[in-house]
Amino acid sequence: MGQLKSKRGGLDPGVPNVQFSTNDEGPPRYFSHGIPPTIVVSDVESSASERRGSRVELRRSSVYSTLDQIPQLGHYTRTLHQQTGSRPSLEALRKAFQEKEAGVKIPTTDSGGSSLPDSGTEESKAPQEKAPVRFGWIIGVMMRCMLNIWGVILFLRLTLITSQAGIVLTCVIILMSVMVTTITGLSISAIATNGRVISGGTYFMISRSLGPEIGAPIGMLFSFANALACALNTVGFSEVVRDLMREFDVVIVDDLNDVRIVGVITVTILLLISLAGMEWESKTQILFFIVLLVSFANYFVGTIIPPTKVKQAQGIFGYNSEIFISNLTPDWRGPDGSFFRMFSIFFPAATGILSGVNICGDLKDPAIAIPKGTLGAIFWTTLSYLAVSITAASCVVRDASGNIGDILTGNITGDCVGLGCNFGGNFTECIVSQSCQYGLANTTKTLGQLSGWYYLITAGVFAASLSSALGFLVSAPKIFQCLCKDKIYPYIGVFAKGYGKNDEPLRAYILCFIIAVAFILIGELNTIAALNSNLFMCSYSLINFSCFHASFTNSPGWRPEFHYYSKWIALFGAVVAVVLMFLFTWWAALFTISVLILLCLYINYNKPKVNWGSSVQAGSYNMALSASVALSGVEDHVKNFRPQCLVLTGPPTQRPALVDFVDSFTKYTSLMICGDIIMDKDRQTRLQEATDRLVKWMNKRKVRSFYSPFTADSLRVGARNLLQASGLGKLKPNILVLGFKSNWRESSPESIEDYIKTINDTFDTNYSLCILRMMEGLDVSDQFDFEVNQGFEPDESVEKDDQQSPEKEPSDNISDKGDSDQIKTVFQNDQGKKTIDVYWIADDGGLTLLVPYLLTRRKRWSRCKVRVFIIGDEQNMEESRNEMLALLKRFRLDFNEVTVMTDSEKRPQAKNLDRFVDSLAPFRLYDEQYEGVASSKISDKEFEAFRLKSETKVRLNEIIRRNSIYAALIVVEPSCATQRLH
């Protein structure tokens, strides 16, 4: 074994030993079978027992190791509530070496590894608690789904639906419901296998697929739907209990209030079972499942047993082809007698398919359990519904009196009415008077009467209704708890708290209990079922649309392990679900969609700070990419010209006025890019963090702009590269916006040369140029305690700041005060009835007029009057003014005030001219012996050559000061702007 030694001849205590598995005959060998060679990183003082530690410890990487970390799941886990270790960054490794060289002790864990946040996975040193309960696909999903699908509709409403719709249409209703649920089940399976699914079920999947805008509202509605389904099944159970009480002549108050009382007591007991924990709830569900299987066996045996006289009086005559044929066609009765009304009453029977998904946080492997369990439950329950409907309609006539005397031999006369006449039953009297109490169309007890033992079916009703109610009572709080943890809606965070090893949402249980009690007090099963159908249909529609949208956007992140789905079938399922919502109960559909829209609008207004990599984001990318590519093939035209600005702001937080000014005329109109040329090496290492902070600042300020940092050695190099590389296709800047350099005298020659040559490069690259000057200056860095960007400030100031506070943070590390206060600038104020003065001295193509026009389209500038100043002579003053008005009218600009400056050619005042000459003194090269030598200063020859033009500009300055002293904004197009500057 070799050891690394320090230059002093001993072992370097700061560098770990790197040991290779070798033999004595040569270099390390790499084996293709058996145990692979292992690289062991250890300290010199490590004992032999430590070196024989666990495999995880042996393979843990040190910050000083040159070896890469092995791939680990923790490196790729990024969820909202959990973030485990990540791969060490280069910055972390460099920092560790720098601290080591400086003699700073690096804290280590007990295992000897570095405690850097990026250094690898962490192992809990606390004693392990008992693992929470986790379920497989049979008990956790399939059995739970079957129990929720086998609800009160099966035992209390299926025979009534069959009697009204007939066998054929009932099968259509069942198969249409199964079609929707199967398509939804396939979509659920695809979404559930596309990444990790935690607690929250349907809400979690929709929100992570379609984003919070759709996911959060449907999470709220679906939680409510589950609470409503709990009330639905509890009311069904209460009806059965009330009927049993009537058989024994027990009455508490009356029919309706008895249902309410029994329902409230029942849901309270279910709440206590739920509060006991998932383990008790699961055991209770297993018991219910066994009772249901016994009830089904009892029912099918009863259909085979020859009916007694009592059963015949109730309309039960056993399997008979005449009864089967008679019940094939529909027989609509009463106010509920329609296909879609029957459909809406039945559909809640199919809504239990999400029961397994809703507790996905308690499953061992949701990606496997959800597809197998959900689709398996749909298959077996579909067979059971079809079998019960067909067998009941093959054995029972629609109307019967229940009077045993009506089936005695000899009672049949020539006036006998009804199918019972063919089997010795005369039910004419009750049929004519419409007072029949028995038969397929008149009682909810048909399955019990048809079965082998009546009370086993009653037990089945109890098991079905209670298991479904319990399942929904458990599902609703878990979905709502996940929604509350995401902190999307206000005032509901109190329900996010969980208790115990399974993180049970006890507070959400109480809320769900209150909602369920409120609907139990309605006491009408059909009314609750119609509203419940709409809520679940809405959820199913969005689940299917989530699957379609994720597939349609072709996001690389959409890689479900479950492949047996189709995006077009998912879209079909979504459309069918929406159509059925309105066909079931149109007012309930409108109510559901209205609430959904209001919840969506709140989120769009509030814009929660979450990023789940939703398919909506992927769709936005696709649309933006397609539009950008399509735009590249469109030729430029003057009508479509937009001022697309590259603004050299530095960190936007330092020059908010420059940002606000450009945003005033580009917002919602054209492109804006804030360019930041970084020449500070320390700031480059935190570039991504700084970028995120500055983008957050712009978003909070509601500035619609991109932030583009660029590292360069000088302002000119950075600006030149940004000019060439910024933008995408036709979305490319065409205007460079600079702040006016006000500190010429204090700046170094290199800084001035950079600024001037940047302007020259702007024209060379065919960009327009805009320079903003404000009397109070643009930079606000002196209000905060941070360094300035060297590319935008004189070197002297930087050096001075460095000497005074060498430990200051870089400019992108601006204090929280700068982020929260959002410094208000003049461009954020209402400008009132001030003027925008445009000095259109040279023909620049109209940009000088376009910017003021765009400003006046904003609310803050809308009352400002634009005044246009042009150059002319006194003789042709009126003619020049009329020509300009005609030109403005041709441009469709409502600028009616044009002033012709006839005194622009006059010589400026002596004091102003002297002030101009004095300001140039530091930049003059007076000694002619340096003539011909390269220099950035102005020679006497150049000064004389431009004397006339300079005097013209000084005179223009006098005119501007005289005419525009109270203007809100002055826009000037100097004639020298189109020439190359020197």
Side-chain angles (χ1 to χ4, degrees), residues 459-488:
V461 176
F462 286 176
S465 57
L466 292 178
S467 64
S468 297
L470 183 59
F472 287 118
L473 185 61
V474 170
S475 299
K478 289 186 176 292
I479 297 170
F480 192 64
Q481 181 190 33
C482 186
L483 174 64
C484 295
K485 283 183 177 180
D486 288 339
K487 299 179 181 179
I488 295 177

PDB file of all heavy atoms in Angstrom, residues 459-488:
ATOM      1  N   ALA A 459     -75.972  -6.746   5.960  1.00  0.00           N
ATOM      2  CA  ALA A 459     -74.588  -6.618   6.430  1.00  0.00           C
ATOM      3  C   ALA A 459     -73.681  -6.127   5.308  1.00  0.00           C
ATOM      4  O   ALA A 459     -72.753  -5.335   5.531  1.00  0.00           O
ATOM      5  CB  ALA A 459     -74.094  -7.968   6.970  1.00  0.00           C
ATOM      6  N   GLY A 460     -73.956  -6.597   4.080  1.00  0.00           N
ATOM      7  CA  GLY A 460     -73.179  -6.123   2.931  1.00  0.00           C
ATOM      8  C   GLY A 460     -73.389  -4.638   2.681  1.00  0.00           C
ATOM      9  O   GLY A 460     -72.449  -3.910   2.339  1.00  0.00           O
ATOM     10  N   VAL A 461     -74.643  -4.175   2.846  1.00  0.00           N
ATOM     11  CA  VAL A 461     -74.917  -2.748   2.691  1.00  0.00           C
ATOM     12  C   VAL A 461     -74.150  -1.956   3.738  1.00  0.00           C
ATOM     13  O   VAL A 461     -73.544  -0.911   3.437  1.00  0.00           O
ATOM     14  CB  VAL A 461     -76.429  -2.468   2.810  1.00  0.00           C
ATOM     15  CG1 VAL A 461     -76.700  -0.975   2.756  1.00  0.00           C
ATOM     16  CG2 VAL A 461     -77.190  -3.183   1.710  1.00  0.00           C
ATOM     17  N   PHE A 462     -74.166  -2.468   4.963  1.00  0.00           N
ATOM     18  CA  PHE A 462     -73.422  -1.798   6.028  1.00  0.00           C
ATOM     19  C   PHE A 462     -71.934  -1.734   5.676  1.00  0.00           C
ATOM     20  O   PHE A 462     -71.288  -0.688   5.803  1.00  0.00           O
ATOM     21  CB  PHE A 462     -73.605  -2.545   7.341  1.00  0.00           C
ATOM     22  CG  PHE A 462     -74.956  -2.359   7.958  1.00  0.00           C
ATOM     23  CD1 PHE A 462     -75.314  -3.031   9.120  1.00  0.00           C
ATOM     24  CD2 PHE A 462     -75.897  -1.513   7.381  1.00  0.00           C
ATOM     25  CE1 PHE A 462     -76.556  -2.861   9.696  1.00  0.00           C
ATOM     26  CE2 PHE A 462     -77.152  -1.341   7.946  1.00  0.00           C
ATOM     27  CZ  PHE A 462     -77.487  -2.019   9.105  1.00  0.00           C
ATOM     28  N   ALA A 463     -71.400  -2.882   5.240  1.00  0.00           N
ATOM     29  CA  ALA A 463     -69.966  -2.930   4.924  1.00  0.00           C
ATOM     30  C   ALA A 463     -69.626  -2.011   3.758  1.00  0.00           C
ATOM     31  O   ALA A 463     -68.608  -1.290   3.788  1.00  0.00           O
ATOM     32  CB  ALA A 463     -69.558  -4.367   4.595  1.00  0.00           C
ATOM     33  N   ALA A 464     -70.476  -2.018   2.709  1.00  0.00           N
ATOM     34  CA  ALA A 464     -70.187  -1.199   1.527  1.00  0.00           C
ATOM     35  C   ALA A 464     -70.254   0.285   1.854  1.00  0.00           C
ATOM     36  O   ALA A 464     -69.361   1.070   1.494  1.00  0.00           O
ATOM     37  CB  ALA A 464     -71.171  -1.536   0.409  1.00  0.00           C
ATOM     38  N   SER A 465     -71.320   0.675   2.533  1.00  0.00           N
ATOM     39  CA  SER A 465     -71.485   2.094   2.825  1.00  0.00           C
ATOM     40  C   SER A 465     -70.458   2.591   3.833  1.00  0.00           C
ATOM     41  O   SER A 465     -69.853   3.659   3.661  1.00  0.00           O
ATOM     42  CB  SER A 465     -72.905   2.365   3.331  1.00  0.00           C
ATOM     43  OG  SER A 465     -73.175   1.563   4.477  1.00  0.00           O
ATOM     44  N   LEU A 466     -70.229   1.811   4.872  1.00  0.00           N
ATOM     45  CA  LEU A 466     -69.275   2.250   5.894  1.00  0.00           C
ATOM     46  C   LEU A 466     -67.845   2.236   5.377  1.00  0.00           C
ATOM     47  O   LEU A 466     -67.051   3.128   5.699  1.00  0.00           O
ATOM     48  CB  LEU A 466     -69.408   1.361   7.138  1.00  0.00           C
ATOM     49  CG  LEU A 466     -70.714   1.506   7.927  1.00  0.00           C
ATOM     50  CD1 LEU A 466     -70.742   0.539   9.092  1.00  0.00           C
ATOM     51  CD2 LEU A 466     -70.896   2.937   8.420  1.00  0.00           C
ATOM     52  N   SER A 467     -67.492   1.232   4.571  1.00  0.00           N
ATOM     53  CA  SER A 467     -66.130   1.186   4.035  1.00  0.00           C
ATOM     54  C   SER A 467     -65.880   2.359   3.084  1.00  0.00           C
ATOM     55  O   SER A 467     -64.812   2.976   3.107  1.00  0.00           O
ATOM     56  CB  SER A 467     -65.888  -0.139   3.304  1.00  0.00           C
ATOM     57  OG  SER A 467     -66.739  -0.265   2.172  1.00  0.00           O
ATOM     58  N   SER A 468     -66.893   2.667   2.257  1.00  0.00           N
ATOM     59  CA  SER A 468     -66.736   3.798   1.343  1.00  0.00           C
ATOM     60  C   SER A 468     -66.660   5.114   2.113  1.00  0.00           C
ATOM     61  O   SER A 468     -65.816   5.969   1.832  1.00  0.00           O
ATOM     62  CB  SER A 468     -67.905   3.841   0.360  1.00  0.00           C
ATOM     63  OG  SER A 468     -67.931   2.681  -0.446  1.00  0.00           O
ATOM     64  N   ALA A 469     -67.555   5.250   3.095  1.00  0.00           N
ATOM     65  CA  ALA A 469     -67.537   6.478   3.893  1.00  0.00           C
ATOM     66  C   ALA A 469     -66.206   6.630   4.620  1.00  0.00           C
ATOM     67  O   ALA A 469     -65.625   7.719   4.672  1.00  0.00           O
ATOM     68  CB  ALA A 469     -68.695   6.463   4.893  1.00  0.00           C
ATOM     69  N   LEU A 470     -65.705   5.527   5.174  1.00  0.00           N
ATOM     70  CA  LEU A 470     -64.427   5.575   5.881  1.00  0.00           C
ATOM     71  C   LEU A 470     -63.278   5.885   4.928  1.00  0.00           C
ATOM     72  O   LEU A 470     -62.376   6.664   5.256  1.00  0.00           O
ATOM     73  CB  LEU A 470     -64.186   4.237   6.590  1.00  0.00           C
ATOM     74  CG  LEU A 470     -62.918   4.132   7.444  1.00  0.00           C
ATOM     75  CD1 LEU A 470     -62.917   5.183   8.536  1.00  0.00           C
ATOM     76  CD2 LEU A 470     -62.811   2.734   8.041  1.00  0.00           C
ATOM     77  N   GLY A 471     -63.322   5.281   3.733  1.00  0.00           N
ATOM     78  CA  GLY A 471     -62.264   5.548   2.755  1.00  0.00           C
ATOM     79  C   GLY A 471     -62.218   7.004   2.329  1.00  0.00           C
ATOM     80  O   GLY A 471     -61.140   7.608   2.250  1.00  0.00           O
ATOM     81  N   PHE A 472     -63.391   7.582   2.073  1.00  0.00           N
ATOM     82  CA  PHE A 472     -63.426   8.996   1.678  1.00  0.00           C
ATOM     83  C   PHE A 472     -63.082   9.915   2.850  1.00  0.00           C
ATOM     84  O   PHE A 472     -62.488  10.974   2.662  1.00  0.00           O
ATOM     85  CB  PHE A 472     -64.802   9.354   1.126  1.00  0.00           C
ATOM     86  CG  PHE A 472     -65.074   8.783  -0.240  1.00  0.00           C
ATOM     87  CD1 PHE A 472     -66.104   7.878  -0.444  1.00  0.00           C
ATOM     88  CD2 PHE A 472     -64.284   9.147  -1.314  1.00  0.00           C
ATOM     89  CE1 PHE A 472     -66.350   7.356  -1.700  1.00  0.00           C
ATOM     90  CE2 PHE A 472     -64.525   8.623  -2.587  1.00  0.00           C
ATOM     91  CZ  PHE A 472     -65.553   7.731  -2.780  1.00  0.00           C
ATOM     92  N   LEU A 473     -63.451   9.494   4.063  1.00  0.00           N
ATOM     93  CA  LEU A 473     -63.113  10.295   5.234  1.00  0.00           C
ATOM     94  C   LEU A 473     -61.614  10.330   5.472  1.00  0.00           C
ATOM     95  O   LEU A 473     -61.078  11.315   5.997  1.00  0.00           O
ATOM     96  CB  LEU A 473     -63.830   9.731   6.467  1.00  0.00           C
ATOM     97  CG  LEU A 473     -63.695  10.519   7.772  1.00  0.00           C
ATOM     98  CD1 LEU A 473     -64.263  11.919   7.610  1.00  0.00           C
ATOM     99  CD2 LEU A 473     -64.385   9.792   8.913  1.00  0.00           C
ATOM    100  N   VAL A 474     -60.915   9.285   5.068  1.00  0.00           N
ATOM    101  CA  VAL A 474     -59.455   9.257   5.191  1.00  0.00           C
ATOM    102  C   VAL A 474     -58.804  10.007   4.030  1.00  0.00           C
ATOM    103  O   VAL A 474     -57.802  10.710   4.206  1.00  0.00           O
ATOM    104  CB  VAL A 474     -58.951   7.792   5.238  1.00  0.00           C
ATOM    105  CG1 VAL A 474     -57.438   7.738   5.109  1.00  0.00           C
ATOM    106  CG2 VAL A 474     -59.397   7.133   6.537  1.00  0.00           C
ATOM    107  N   SER A 475     -59.373   9.901   2.834  1.00  0.00           N
ATOM    108  CA  SER A 475     -58.762  10.502   1.645  1.00  0.00           C
ATOM    109  C   SER A 475     -58.811  12.022   1.677  1.00  0.00           C
ATOM    110  O   SER A 475     -57.823  12.696   1.380  1.00  0.00           O
ATOM    111  CB  SER A 475     -59.466   9.994   0.382  1.00  0.00           C
ATOM    112  OG  SER A 475     -59.355   8.593   0.268  1.00  0.00           O
ATOM    113  N   ALA A 476     -59.969  12.571   2.004  1.00  0.00           N
ATOM    114  CA  ALA A 476     -60.146  14.030   1.952  1.00  0.00           C
ATOM    115  C   ALA A 476     -59.126  14.776   2.810  1.00  0.00           C
ATOM    116  O   ALA A 476     -58.497  15.732   2.340  1.00  0.00           O
ATOM    117  CB  ALA A 476     -61.574  14.387   2.352  1.00  0.00           C
ATOM    118  N   PRO A 477     -58.904  14.393   4.081  1.00  0.00           N
ATOM    119  CA  PRO A 477     -57.915  15.140   4.885  1.00  0.00           C
ATOM    120  C   PRO A 477     -56.498  15.031   4.352  1.00  0.00           C
ATOM    121  O   PRO A 477     -55.725  15.995   4.441  1.00  0.00           O
ATOM    122  CB  PRO A 477     -58.042  14.494   6.271  1.00  0.00           C
ATOM    123  CG  PRO A 477     -59.382  13.861   6.291  1.00  0.00           C
ATOM    124  CD  PRO A 477     -59.620  13.401   4.891  1.00  0.00           C
ATOM    125  N   LYS A 478     -56.118  13.875   3.806  1.00  0.00           N
ATOM    126  CA  LYS A 478     -54.751  13.724   3.309  1.00  0.00           C
ATOM    127  C   LYS A 478     -54.507  14.595   2.082  1.00  0.00           C
ATOM    128  O   LYS A 478     -53.433  15.177   1.911  1.00  0.00           O
ATOM    129  CB  LYS A 478     -54.473  12.248   2.993  1.00  0.00           C
ATOM    130  CG  LYS A 478     -54.348  11.384   4.240  1.00  0.00           C
ATOM    131  CD  LYS A 478     -53.933   9.973   3.916  1.00  0.00           C
ATOM    132  CE  LYS A 478     -53.715   9.178   5.197  1.00  0.00           C
ATOM    133  NZ  LYS A 478     -52.552   9.654   5.965  1.00  0.00           N
ATOM    134  N   ILE A 479     -55.511  14.703   1.210  1.00  0.00           N
ATOM    135  CA  ILE A 479     -55.379  15.590   0.052  1.00  0.00           C
ATOM    136  C   ILE A 479     -55.300  17.042   0.513  1.00  0.00           C
ATOM    137  O   ILE A 479     -54.452  17.814   0.065  1.00  0.00           O
ATOM    138  CB  ILE A 479     -56.575  15.398  -0.896  1.00  0.00           C
ATOM    139  CG1 ILE A 479     -56.601  13.974  -1.453  1.00  0.00           C
ATOM    140  CG2 ILE A 479     -56.515  16.396  -2.046  1.00  0.00           C
ATOM    141  CD1 ILE A 479     -57.867  13.639  -2.194  1.00  0.00           C
ATOM    142  N   PHE A 480     -56.177  17.395   1.448  1.00  0.00           N
ATOM    143  CA  PHE A 480     -56.215  18.780   1.923  1.00  0.00           C
ATOM    144  C   PHE A 480     -54.937  19.132   2.685  1.00  0.00           C
ATOM    145  O   PHE A 480     -54.445  20.269   2.601  1.00  0.00           O
ATOM    146  CB  PHE A 480     -57.435  18.975   2.817  1.00  0.00           C
ATOM    147  CG  PHE A 480     -57.737  20.412   3.121  1.00  0.00           C
ATOM    148  CD1 PHE A 480     -58.086  21.284   2.111  1.00  0.00           C
ATOM    149  CD2 PHE A 480     -57.666  20.897   4.416  1.00  0.00           C
ATOM    150  CE1 PHE A 480     -58.363  22.612   2.374  1.00  0.00           C
ATOM    151  CE2 PHE A 480     -57.938  22.222   4.690  1.00  0.00           C
ATOM    152  CZ  PHE A 480     -58.291  23.084   3.670  1.00  0.00           C
ATOM    153  N   GLN A 481     -54.373  18.163   3.409  1.00  0.00           N
ATOM    154  CA  GLN A 481     -53.126  18.415   4.129  1.00  0.00           C
ATOM    155  C   GLN A 481     -51.991  18.744   3.164  1.00  0.00           C
ATOM    156  O   GLN A 481     -51.207  19.670   3.395  1.00  0.00           O
ATOM    157  CB  GLN A 481     -52.754  17.192   4.963  1.00  0.00           C
ATOM    158  CG  GLN A 481     -51.480  17.368   5.773  1.00  0.00           C
ATOM    159  CD  GLN A 481     -50.999  16.070   6.396  1.00  0.00           C
ATOM    160  OE1 GLN A 481     -51.178  14.985   5.815  1.00  0.00           O
ATOM    161  NE2 GLN A 481     -50.397  16.153   7.566  1.00  0.00           N
ATOM    162  N   CYS A 482     -51.896  18.006   2.057  1.00  0.00           N
ATOM    163  CA  CYS A 482     -50.856  18.270   1.065  1.00  0.00           C
ATOM    164  C   CYS A 482     -51.046  19.649   0.441  1.00  0.00           C
ATOM    165  O   CYS A 482     -50.082  20.387   0.220  1.00  0.00           O
ATOM    166  CB  CYS A 482     -50.880  17.187  -0.006  1.00  0.00           C
ATOM    167  SG  CYS A 482     -49.544  17.300  -1.209  1.00  0.00           S
ATOM    168  N   LEU A 483     -52.303  20.026   0.169  1.00  0.00           N
ATOM    169  CA  LEU A 483     -52.584  21.351  -0.376  1.00  0.00           C
ATOM    170  C   LEU A 483     -52.165  22.438   0.610  1.00  0.00           C
ATOM    171  O   LEU A 483     -51.582  23.455   0.220  1.00  0.00           O
ATOM    172  CB  LEU A 483     -54.080  21.462  -0.701  1.00  0.00           C
ATOM    173  CG  LEU A 483     -54.596  22.836  -1.147  1.00  0.00           C
ATOM    174  CD1 LEU A 483     -53.950  23.250  -2.462  1.00  0.00           C
ATOM    175  CD2 LEU A 483     -56.107  22.817  -1.286  1.00  0.00           C
ATOM    176  N   CYS A 484     -52.436  22.220   1.873  1.00  0.00           N
ATOM    177  CA  CYS A 484     -52.085  23.212   2.888  1.00  0.00           C
ATOM    178  C   CYS A 484     -50.573  23.338   3.039  1.00  0.00           C
ATOM    179  O   CYS A 484     -50.050  24.431   3.280  1.00  0.00           O
ATOM    180  CB  CYS A 484     -52.712  22.839   4.224  1.00  0.00           C
ATOM    181  SG  CYS A 484     -54.519  22.868   4.230  1.00  0.00           S
ATOM    182  N   LYS A 485     -49.848  22.239   2.909  1.00  0.00           N
ATOM    183  CA  LYS A 485     -48.390  22.286   3.039  1.00  0.00           C
ATOM    184  C   LYS A 485     -47.753  23.106   1.920  1.00  0.00           C
ATOM    185  O   LYS A 485     -46.687  23.692   2.113  1.00  0.00           O
ATOM    186  CB  LYS A 485     -47.821  20.862   3.017  1.00  0.00           C
ATOM    187  CG  LYS A 485     -48.000  20.112   4.328  1.00  0.00           C
ATOM    188  CD  LYS A 485     -47.343  18.739   4.265  1.00  0.00           C
ATOM    189  CE  LYS A 485     -47.466  18.016   5.604  1.00  0.00           C
ATOM    190  NZ  LYS A 485     -46.835  16.672   5.556  1.00  0.00           N
ATOM    191  N   ASP A 486     -48.385  23.142   0.764  1.00  0.00           N
ATOM    192  CA  ASP A 486     -47.832  23.917  -0.349  1.00  0.00           C
ATOM    193  C   ASP A 486     -48.020  25.420  -0.178  1.00  0.00           C
ATOM    194  O   ASP A 486     -47.429  26.197  -0.943  1.00  0.00           O
ATOM    195  CB  ASP A 486     -48.473  23.463  -1.675  1.00  0.00           C
ATOM    196  CG  ASP A 486     -47.983  22.091  -2.106  1.00  0.00           C
ATOM    197  OD1 ASP A 486     -46.908  21.680  -1.634  1.00  0.00           O
ATOM    198  OD2 ASP A 486     -48.672  21.443  -2.904  1.00  0.00           O
ATOM    199  N   LYS A 487     -48.852  25.832   0.793  1.00  0.00           N
ATOM    200  CA  LYS A 487     -49.023  27.253   1.142  1.00  0.00           C
ATOM    201  C   LYS A 487     -49.406  28.097  -0.074  1.00  0.00           C
ATOM    202  O   LYS A 487     -48.840  29.154  -0.325  1.00  0.00           O
ATOM    203  CB  LYS A 487     -47.744  27.804   1.773  1.00  0.00           C
ATOM    204  CG  LYS A 487     -47.343  27.093   3.059  1.00  0.00           C
ATOM    205  CD  LYS A 487     -46.055  27.662   3.627  1.00  0.00           C
ATOM    206  CE  LYS A 487     -45.657  26.932   4.897  1.00  0.00           C
ATOM    207  NZ  LYS A 487     -44.378  27.442   5.467  1.00  0.00           N
ATOM    208  N   ILE A 488     -50.368  27.594  -0.825  1.00  0.00           N
ATOM    209  CA  ILE A 488     -50.822  28.319  -2.012  1.00  0.00           C
ATOM    210  C   ILE A 488     -51.974  29.251  -1.664  1.00  0.00           C
ATOM    211  O   ILE A 488     -52.024  30.388  -2.138  1.00  0.00           O
ATOM    212  CB  ILE A 488     -51.224  27.328  -3.117  1.00  0.00           C
ATOM    213  CG1 ILE A 488     -49.976  26.548  -3.574  1.00  0.00           C
ATOM    214  CG2 ILE A 488     -51.851  28.038  -4.291  1.00  0.00           C
ATOM    215  CD1 ILE A 488     -50.264  25.507  -4.605  1.00  0.00           C
TER     216      ILE A 488
END
